[in-house]
């Protein structure tokens, strides 16, 4: 007869899903149970303060559906590029050339569309938009890969390489069309810029909202199952419900806002006449809904979040940023990863160029000037550490919204551009200082 021992029962204060026999821990705080990043929450609070302050200073013109809708469209290209800048900065590099890459790829797309695709396919052929985007993204990725090759394989610091790129590609943007402004001709491509045609309307906006809420709930359930599978501590059920409810509430609020912005009466009447819709005596109310560039930016954010958190490539990027020497000793090909990150940054700059060019309905050699400042500031304000190894895609995209909110608010207050740049510079330095203080406190 053999003696058997049984594991002691798990104390009631121990988190569900923890290994048997683990020491009991104190109940987490409210924010601890929700597992919310304090810095991200603080940034949301700062954004709310900025919005309220500008609405007061601009006599109630900031927090209107029209301005907020325009703000979301204007933030899209910066938000797209900031997702790539997160990976660049996480790896302890910097890219000063993204504004110039945006300018040259936007010009190349416009020239390619007007001079080559239009004669070959005709007006508004579906292939025109597809091939224009393919050409722009391909050129952007090639430029980024060239930067990455010089940085990784030739050993030139990223600051110098991308500073040279800032000058080279800005000059190339001028050379492509000899300084001329190139108007776009494809209406399908123009949808990427937003506007009355580049929006999906109220009905489809609610469809997107429902899909988003279902996705949020499904993601929470999947995350909980993964924790159970690997015997990690579980969040309290009430915390899961609060997190999902907060996400869905934000989606519903955004949908109500974009649907509250309606077409002007003249445009609504023209739309009804062209579509054969009867106009009631009280007039038509046609909502813009979500703008296409905003949906593109959100899609890019979701894909980049998946890449950074769910792929080997993303883990390699953060490992290299945390300790490059240890990552290399662990067998990670740091040079190849560096090249890939800069190529991805170039491709994202080209997507930003497509949005920016479509929004302006033309390409100019000055397009994207100072965008590198806004992209870097968005990433840093969003919590990406300049010392490397830390950063989030969602934080950078909110940072882009913060930067554009500052600019939009100052425009409404009729602040001159030089003073706007002063404010942006001060905010960037302040954000880096906050990051430095935060890093010292957690050590």
């Amino acid at each position: 007869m053999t003696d058997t021992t049984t594991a002691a029962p798990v104390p009631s204060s121990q988190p569900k899903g923890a290994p048997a026999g683990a020491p009991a821990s104190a109940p987490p705080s409210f924010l601890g149970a929700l597992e919310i990043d304090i810095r991200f929450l603080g940034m949301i609070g700062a954004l709310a303060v900025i919005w309220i302050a500008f609405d007061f200073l601009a006599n109630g013109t900031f927090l209107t559906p029209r301005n907020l809708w325009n703000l979301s469209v204007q933030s899209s290209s910066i938000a797209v590029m900031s997702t790539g800048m997160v990976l660049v900065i996480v790896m302890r590099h910097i890219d000063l050339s993204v504004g110039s890459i945006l300018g040259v790829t936007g010009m190349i797309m416009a020239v390619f569309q007007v001079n080559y695709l239009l004669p070959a396919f005709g007006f508004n052929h579906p292939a025109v938009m597809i091939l224009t985007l393919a050409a722009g993204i391909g050129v952007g990725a090639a430029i980024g890969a060239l930067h990455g090759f010089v940085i990784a394989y030739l050993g030139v610091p990223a600051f110098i390489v991308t500073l040279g790129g800032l000058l080279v590609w800005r000059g190339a943007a001028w050379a492509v069309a000899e300084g001329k402004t190139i108007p776009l001709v494809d209406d399908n491509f123009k949808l990427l810029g937003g506007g009355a045609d580049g929006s999906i309307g109220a009905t489809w906006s609610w469809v997107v909202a429902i899909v988003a809420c279902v996705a949020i709930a499904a993601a929470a359930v999947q995350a909980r199952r993964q924790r159970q599978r690997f015997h990690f501590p579980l969040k309290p059920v009430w915390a899961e419900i609060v997190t999902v409810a907060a996400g869905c509430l934000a989606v519903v609020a955004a949908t109500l806002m974009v649907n509250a912005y309606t077409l002007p009466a003249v445009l609504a009447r023209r739309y009804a006449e062209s579509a054969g819709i009867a106009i009631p005596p009280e007039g038509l109310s046609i909502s813009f809904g979500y703008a296409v560039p905003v949906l593109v930016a959100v899609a890019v954010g979701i894909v980049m979040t998946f890449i950074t958190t769910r792929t080997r490539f993303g883990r390699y990027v953060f490992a290299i940023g945390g300790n490059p020497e240890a990552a290399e000793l662990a067998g990670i090909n740091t040079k190849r990863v560096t090249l890939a990150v800069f190529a991805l940054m170039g491709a994202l700059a080209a997507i930003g160029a497509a949005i920016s060019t479509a929004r302006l309905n033309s390409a100019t050699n000055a397009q994207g000037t100072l965008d590198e400042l806004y992209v870097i500031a968005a990433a840093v304000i969003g919590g990406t550490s300049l010392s490397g190894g830390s950063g989030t895609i969602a934080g950078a995209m909110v940072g882009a919204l913060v930067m554009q909110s500052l600019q939009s608010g100052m425009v409404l207050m009729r602040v001159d551009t030089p003073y706007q740049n002063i404010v942006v510079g001060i905010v960037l330095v302040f954000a880096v200082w906050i990051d430095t203080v935060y890093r010292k406190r957690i050590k």
Side-chain angles (χ1 to χ4, degrees):
M1 184 175 180
T2 59
D3 294 330
T4 59
T5 57
T6 58
V10 179
S12 59
S13 60
Q14 184 173 331
K16 183 180 178 182
S25 58
S29 63
F30 178 77
L31 292 179
L34 293 175
E35 298 182 0
I36 296 178
D37 185 356
I38 300 299
R39 297 181 68 191
F40 184 80
L41 189 63
M43 187 167 50
I44 296 296
L47 180 63
V49 170
I50 290 172
W51 283 9
I52 294 172
F54 274 129
D55 190 62
F56 175 76
L57 296 173
N59 299 320
T61 58
F62 190 90
L63 291 177
T64 60
R66 177 182 179 179
N67 186 66
L68 293 179
W69 190 91
N70 288 326
L71 177 62
S72 67
V73 174
Q74 293 164 0
S75 303
S76 298
S77 62
I78 299 297
V80 167
M81 292 190 289
S82 69
T83 63
M85 189 60 71
V86 169
L87 300 188
V88 172
I89 297 178
V90 161
M91 291 189 65
R92 305 186 182 188
H93 294 300
I94 200 72
D95 194 339
L96 302 176
S97 65
V98 291
S100 297
I101 295 176
L102 183 150
V104 71
T105 53
M107 185 64 73
I108 288 173
M109 284 189 284
V111 170
F112 184 54
Q113 182 181 116
V114 172
N115 293 348
Y116 299 96
L117 297 180
L118 179 62
F121 295 96
F123 284 102
N124 298 332
H125 192 283
V128 174
M129 177 181 179
I130 296 173
L131 293 176
T132 301
L133 285 174
I137 293 173
V139 171
I143 292 173
L146 176 61
H147 291 173
F149 176 82
V150 176
I151 293 165
Y153 291 92
L154 301 185
V156 182
F159 180 88
I160 298 300
V161 174
T162 58
L163 179 60
L166 181 151
L167 301 173
V168 169
W169 305 119
R170 181 59 62 194
W174 182 92
V176 168
E178 298 181 349
K180 299 176 183 177
T181 297
I182 308 298
L184 296 177
V185 294
D186 184 69
D187 291 337
N188 295 321
F189 188 84
K190 293 178 183 179
L191 298 179
L192 293 172
D197 294 326
S199 305
I200 62 174
T203 302
W204 281 107
S205 293
W206 282 116
V207 171
V208 169
I210 293 171
V211 171
C213 290
V214 172
I216 291 171
V221 171
Q222 178 63 18
R224 191 172 184 86
R225 287 177 178 174
Q226 287 292 96
R227 290 190 175 207
Q228 289 176 330
R229 177 184 175 187
F230 295 104
H231 305 289
F232 289 164
L234 300 178
K235 291 170 63 175
V237 175
W238 66 265
E240 299 278 14
I241 295 174
V242 169
T243 302
V244 172
C248 292
L249 182 62
V251 170
V252 171
T255 306
L256 289 172
M257 184 274 294
V258 297
N259 285 343
Y261 182 37
T262 57
L263 285 172
V266 175
L267 292 180
R269 188 180 302 108
R270 291 178 183 174
Y271 175 82
E273 292 173 353
S274 62
I277 300 174
I279 302 176
E282 66 275 11
L284 284 175
S285 178
I286 302 176
S287 299
F288 276 79
Y290 285 109
V292 172
V294 175
L295 297 178
V296 171
V298 171
V300 169
I302 293 172
V303 172
M304 291 296 292
T305 299
F306 178 82
I307 289 174
T308 55
T309 60
R310 293 289 186 268
T311 66
R312 182 180 299 177
F313 172 75
R315 291 193 292 270
Y316 283 175
V317 169
F318 280 85
I320 294 170
N323 192 325
E325 293 79 11
E328 193 163 0
L329 291 173
I332 298 175
N333 191 332
T334 56
K335 294 181 179 179
R336 186 169 61 189
V337 173
T338 300
L339 189 150
V341 165
F342 277 91
L344 179 60
M345 181 71 256
L348 291 171
I351 295 175
I355 293 173
S356 177
T357 305
R359 186 165 65 87
L360 298 174
N361 286 329
S362 61
T364 67
N365 63 290
Q367 191 173 340
T369 301
L370 292 182
D371 273 9
E372 56 276 349
L373 169 65
Y374 286 92
V375 172
I376 294 171
V380 174
I381 289 174
T384 304
S385 175
L386 289 173
S387 60
S390 175
T392 64
I393 301 299
M397 297 187 76
V398 175
L401 188 59
V402 170
M403 296 304 299
Q404 193 59 50
S405 296
L406 290 172
Q407 187 178 33
S408 176
M410 288 186 286
V411 168
L412 290 176
M413 293 175 60
R414 299 180 180 179
V415 177
D416 293 333
T417 300
Y419 294 107
Q420 294 180 28
N421 294 336
I422 290 174
V423 173
V424 171
I426 293 173
V427 170
L428 177 58
V429 174
F430 181 75
V432 175
W433 175 72
I434 291 293
D435 176 74
T436 302
V437 172
Y438 178 79
R439 298 294 164 189
K440 289 181 178 179
R441 291 190 63 179
I442 64 176
K443 286 184 178 179

